[in-house]
């Protein structure tokens, strides 16, 4: 079977439920149905039913009455792993203090402007970061900076 390799560039971080596992990335089971719909619409010039009928006549469907195209999709993560913290609100001073502490303590190089996404609609880890009362200095003792 012929292979088509496509390199995709990630523009936003993925908040992934398997973030600590090696090679965590998009799952093909999430992407393939959406890609199938897109391809069938393209084949049908905007009409998915026309595209499905064309694909059925050519034998490209897994089952004649379904919309799944006969191909396999494999997604592999390439390049270095990047770490991000999505925080709901963080002043520039607090951001700089947090980046400095993470870089020193965990030997992970966060970019000075990247690495921390603020403001962000994702609140799941905002409670792990604590600052000294009335100061913009990270309270490392009470913050959870584990990976």
């Amino acid at each position: 079977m012929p292979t088509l390799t496509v390199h995709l560039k990630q523009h936003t971080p993925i908040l992934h439920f398997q973030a600590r596992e090696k090679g965590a990335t998009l799952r093909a089971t999430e992407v393939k149905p959406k890609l199938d719909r897109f391809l069938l619409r393209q084949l049908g010039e905007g009409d998915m039913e026309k595209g499905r009928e064309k694909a059925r006549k050519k034998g490209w469907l897994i089952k004649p009455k379904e919309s799944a195209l006969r191909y396999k999709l494999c997604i592999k993560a390439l390049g270095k792993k990047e770490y991000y913290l999505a925080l709901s609100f963080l002043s520039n001073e607090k951001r700089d203090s947090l980046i400095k502490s993470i870089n020193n303590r965990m030997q992970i190089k966060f970019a000075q402007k990247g690495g921390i996404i603020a403001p962000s609609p994702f609140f799941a880890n905002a409670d792990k970061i604590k600052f000294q009362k009335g100061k913009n200095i990270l309270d490392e003792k009470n913050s959870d900076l584990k990976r």
Side-chain angles (χ1 to χ4, degrees):
M1 177 177 263
T3 299
L4 172 65
T5 301
V6 178
H7 294 274
L8 302 175
K9 181 176 181 182
Q10 180 178 334
H11 292 280
T12 59
I14 299 174
L15 301 175
H16 202 289
F17 73 101
Q18 294 174 317
R20 293 193 173 139
E21 292 183 21
K22 185 177 173 128
T25 184
L26 291 173
R27 295 185 312 191
T29 56
E30 292 176 276
V31 176
K32 188 176 182 306
K34 293 174 178 127
L35 183 57
D36 286 348
R37 281 193 299 273
F38 172 79
L39 294 172
L40 290 171
R41 278 194 197 103
Q42 293 299 309
L43 187 61
E45 300 171 2
D47 185 346
M48 192 166 142
E49 289 304 318
K50 280 168 88 176
R52 185 185 330 204
E53 186 57 30
K54 284 182 182 180
R56 187 189 60 74
K57 286 178 182 176
K58 292 183 181 258
W60 293 350
L61 297 176
I62 292 174
K63 294 180 181 175
K65 295 185 180 187
E66 293 186 14
S67 297
L69 292 166
R70 189 183 309 277
Y71 68 91
K72 291 184 181 183
L73 182 65
C74 177
I75 299 173
K76 295 179 184 177
L78 303 174
K80 66 177 182 135
K81 188 173 187 178
E82 295 181 8
Y83 295 88
Y84 292 89
L85 286 174
L87 300 175
S88 58
F89 176 78
L90 206 59
S91 69
N92 288 341
E93 295 84 14
K94 286 183 177 181
R95 184 199 67 220
D96 292 343
S97 173
L98 179 59
I99 289 171
K100 183 178 178 183
S101 179
I102 290 171
N103 286 342
N104 289 339
R105 192 162 168 225
M106 297 178 67
Q107 289 79 44
I108 296 174
K109 283 295 175 194
F110 272 51
Q112 285 302 316
K113 297 294 178 196
I116 295 178
I117 306 165
S120 169
F122 182 70
F123 304 103
N125 62 352
D127 63 329
K128 297 177 183 175
I129 309 301
K130 308 287 184 208
F131 290 88
Q132 293 177 9
K133 190 169 184 163
K135 299 179 183 177
N136 289 324
I137 299 169
L138 185 72
D139 182 354
E140 289 192 39
K141 182 179 177 188
N142 295 312
S143 293
D144 180 9
L145 297 177
K146 298 174 186 160
R147 289 186 191 184

